[in-house]
């Protein structure tokens, strides 16, 4: 079942979610899930690992690793991107290094 972190929520610590997680709030810590969606109000300080997809419209300071990464026009990303497929919309602000891989491997707990 998908999880949602609402706009006025601030969490400190790592999050592990089996399915999808949508974030509108602030998280300080690493996130691991099947799919991670960061809306425009989302603010993440930490690394994100998603098996299938990362959809980012908010601010992220940390590394992103997923089969597919989509950075929307409002995204502000500072870190490293590890992906197989990358989509960057016009207007996204990036301070990143990028590594395209044939297969992304994640260590599941």
């Amino acid at each position: 079942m998908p999880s949602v972190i609402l706009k006025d929520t601030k969490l400190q610590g790592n999050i592990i979610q089996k399915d999808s997680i949508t974030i509108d709030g602030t998280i300080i810590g690493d996130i691991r899930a099947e799919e991670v969606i960061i809306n425009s109000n989302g603010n993440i300080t930490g690394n994100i690992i998603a098996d299938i997809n990362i959809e980012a419209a908010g601010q992220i300071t940390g590394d992103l690793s997923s089969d597919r990464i989509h950075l929307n026009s409002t995204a502000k990303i500072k870190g490293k991107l590890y992906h197989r497929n990358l989509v960057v919309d016009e207007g996204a602000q990036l301070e990143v290094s990028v590594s395209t891989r044939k297969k992304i491997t994640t260590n599941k707990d």
Side-chain angles (χ1 to χ4, degrees), residues 14-71:
N14 299 332
I15 296 174
I16 299 173
Q17 167 67 11
K18 265 175 84 170
D19 299 316
S20 175
I21 185 168
T22 300
I23 300 162
D24 278 311
T26 299
I27 296 178
I28 300 170
D30 296 339
I31 302 167
R32 180 175 293 179
E34 185 175 70
E35 178 179 45
V36 179
I37 300 167
I38 300 99
N39 290 331
S40 59
N41 291 317
N43 187 336
I44 313 297
T45 302
N47 300 320
I48 301 172
I49 297 173
D51 296 333
I52 298 172
N53 183 47
I54 296 173
E55 181 91 21
Q59 184 169 328
I60 302 167
T61 302
D63 299 344
L64 283 68
S65 180
S66 183
D67 186 53
R68 180 181 184 274
I69 298 175
H70 182 185
L71 306 176

